[in-house]
């Protein structure tokens, strides 16, 4: 496009170019600065266009690590991260928006939590210009899909096995989930599984389908019913392993159906304990919980590694189950030792009901394997997406952390009117907070209130800083760079009401803003 050449003095430079004027020679004009801006923009655009072209050709070939991609282009990302249309110069000075990149189909009700005047939703990886947050369901997220501008990741669901949480923690990116949002949907499927394991309903359906093909359904409908006898669940015992949102809800409704309940959960929370039926009996081990149970429901997370839950329902547990017990696994397939389960099913009338595929058990006559339907209801998808969206909103706009699997829970008061909020993510090392506050003191900036929380290797610091007599942007930019480049600091943010701006990272000793 044709650009009108201007010769505006530096003092009259309009936004968004003011941030550059203090770093340039006094003889530079608006024209010079604009040319510099457009050169940087062109460089970034060509690199991102090449990456997106590669994405469309072979999406899985994006393997460059985050730090390698970021280190090659150090740019003022605030001018390019707001959804502006690079092809149309008139769009260049529009107000910014938060960019939310989505994988999978996210519920519209959930996405409606993002007000369109402040947020832009980008459904495909190559369409998101410098995404500020990622929202996903079952997509297996790769590090190469996480841009350097990403501040947070939220999964619409409880499990986060499809997100590289450990790596995101190293990069200073909080990962959120939505515990309890799909609890009712999973609980109802567990109750359905109890009935499926009691009455041979699936076998009966398959039998009638075959008779229908032969034209014999009406003739045999009464004669053949004796082939599919079952038992009632009233008065039977259900063992619930894991008494979180789903487990406690399952125990409550099972008791209402007349079942006896026993439970095991070494990390039982007060909130979940208060929901349990008064008649439930708590045990001190999984083995003691399953010994007298007719039905066993697994409701625990899958954790890899030493001390994790891989194969936790193994031979030592299964050998203590009643010969006709029904094991219900709507948590994770890897929790159950398939070899031990097959041996159990081969030797008696027990059943295994799950919505996770199993190469060894899928065609066993005593196994009922369903598609992964646990949270596949419209209501659960709406609830999970809405919770994830609200979590992302609160984090981006206020700095609040809730339902994170790798960052400390942090509830924050409202930001005072005369303050900006400074957020720092750093390694949990001695003396880090002192270094951060010292930087503010040297800049003559007063901290009105501050919160410091930590979780494992991550520390999260939030400071509301007085802007009285400090209404110039330069003061905060300088102190932000000083803090961000300190050893052990991963990222920082200045929250002051403008969407997407004020984010900085320390990328292997390079300052990225």
């Amino acid at each position: 496009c044709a650009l009108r050449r201007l010769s505006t003095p530096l003092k009259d430079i309009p936004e968004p170019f003011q941030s550059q004027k203090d770093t340039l020679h006094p003889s530079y004009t608006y024209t010079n600065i604009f040319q510099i801006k457009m050169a940087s923009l062109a460089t970034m655009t060509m690199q991102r266009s090449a990456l997106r072209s590669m994405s469309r050709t072979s999406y899985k070939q994006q393997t460059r690590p985050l730090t390698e991609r970021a280190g090659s282009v150090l740019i003022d990302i605030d001018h390019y991260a707001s959804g502006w249309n690079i092809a149309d110069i008139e769009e260049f000075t529009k107000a910014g928006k938060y960019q939310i990149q989505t994988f999978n189909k996210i519920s519209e009700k959930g996405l409606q939590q993002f007000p369109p005047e402040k947020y832009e939703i980008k459904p495909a990886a190559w369409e998101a210009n410098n995404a500020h947050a990622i929202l996903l369901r079952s997509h297996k997220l790769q590090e190469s899909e996480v841009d350097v501008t990403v501040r947070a990741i939220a999964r619409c669901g409880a499990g986060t096995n499809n997100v590289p949480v450990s790596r995101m923690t190293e990069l200073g990116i909080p990962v959120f989930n939505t515990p309890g949002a799909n609890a009712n949907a999973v609980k109802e499927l567990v109750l359905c599984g109890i009935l499926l394991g009691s009455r041979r309903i699936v076998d009966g359906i398959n039998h009638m389908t075959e008779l229908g093909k032969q034209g014999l359904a009406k003739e045999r409908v009464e004669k053949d019913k004796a082939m599919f006898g079952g038992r009632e669940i009233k008065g039977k015992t259900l063992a619930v392993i894991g008494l979180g949102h789903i487990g406690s809800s399952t125990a409550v409704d099972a008791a209402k159906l007349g079942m006896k309940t026993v439970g095991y959960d070494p990390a039982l929370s007060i909130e979940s304990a208060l929901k349990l039926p008064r008649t439930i009996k708590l045990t001190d081990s999984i083995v003691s919980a399953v010994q007298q149970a007719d039905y066993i429901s697994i409701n625990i997370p899958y954790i890899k590694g030493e001390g994790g839950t891989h194969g936790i329902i193994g031979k030592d547990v299964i050998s203590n189950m009643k010969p006709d017990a029904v094991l219900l696994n709507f948590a994770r397939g890897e929790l159950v030792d398939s070899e031990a389960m097959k041996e159990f099913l081969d030797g008696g009338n027990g059943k295994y009901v799950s919505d996770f595929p199993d190469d060894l058990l899928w065609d066993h006559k005593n196994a009922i394997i369903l598609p992964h339907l646990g949270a596949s209801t419209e209501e659960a998808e709406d609830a999970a997406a809405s919770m994830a969206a609200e979590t992302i909103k609160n984090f981006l706009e206020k700095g609040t952390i809730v339902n994170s699997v790798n960052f400390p829970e942090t509830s924050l008061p409202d930001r005072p009117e005369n303050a900006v909020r400074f957020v720092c993510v750093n390694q949990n090392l001695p003396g880090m907070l002192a270094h951060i506050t010292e930087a503010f003191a040297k800049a003559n900036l007063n901290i009105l209130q501050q919160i410091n929380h930590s979780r494992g290797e991550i520390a999260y610091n939030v400071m509301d800083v007085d802007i009285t007599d400090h209404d110039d942007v330069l003061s905060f930019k300088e102190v932000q760079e000083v803090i961000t480049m300190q050893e052990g600091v991963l990222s920082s943010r200045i929250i002051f009401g403008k969407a997407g701006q004020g984010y900085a990272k320390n990328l292997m000793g390079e300052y990225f803003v």
Side-chain angles (χ1 to χ4, degrees), residues 200-221 224 227-228:
R200 299 193 64 188
I201 296 169
V202 174
D203 292 337
I205 291 172
N206 293 337
H207 182 68
M208 291 305 295
T209 300
E210 288 301 317
L211 290 179
K213 292 177 181 178
Q214 301 170 33
L216 299 173
K218 289 184 178 180
E219 178 183 340
R220 303 275 293 276
V221 68
D224 292 358
M227 298 167 56
F228 306 102

Side-chain angles (χ1 to χ4, degrees), residues 96-99 114-120 393 397 497 499-500:
K97 292 184 179 182
Y98 290 110
Q99 297 271 316
F114 294 114
E117 64 273 12
K118 292 179 68 175
Y119 290 85
E120 190 165 5
K393 270 180 55 185
E397 297 180 19

Side-chain angles (χ1 to χ4, degrees), residues 408-412 428 451-455 458-462:
E409 195 95 351
T410 307
S411 298
L412 299 172
N428 189 15
I451 291 177
N452 168 254
H453 287 171
S454 63
R455 179 175 179 177
I458 284 290
Y460 187 68
N461 299 284
V462 182

Side-chain angles (χ1 to χ4, degrees), residues 436-499:
I436 294 169
T437 55
E438 182 183 2
F440 282 108
K442 287 182 177 179
N444 293 317
L445 291 168
N446 182 40
I447 299 174
L448 299 176
Q449 56 187 7
Q450 72 178 49
I451 291 177
N452 168 254
H453 287 171
S454 63
R455 179 175 179 177
E457 299 177 352
I458 284 290
Y460 187 68
N461 299 284
V462 182
M463 285 144 279
D464 289 335
V465 183
D466 192 356
I467 61 174
T468 306
D469 300 325
H470 292 279
D471 56 354
D472 61 302
V473 176
L474 189 60
S475 297
F476 293 97
K477 284 193 172 184
E478 288 178 346
V479 76
Q480 182 178 23
E481 182 172 358
V482 169
I483 292 174
T484 305
M485 295 311 295
Q486 290 188 19
E487 186 176 354
V489 173
L490 302 174
S491 68
S492 65
R493 271 199 303 153
I494 298 176
I495 301 174
F496 59 101
K498 290 191 177 181

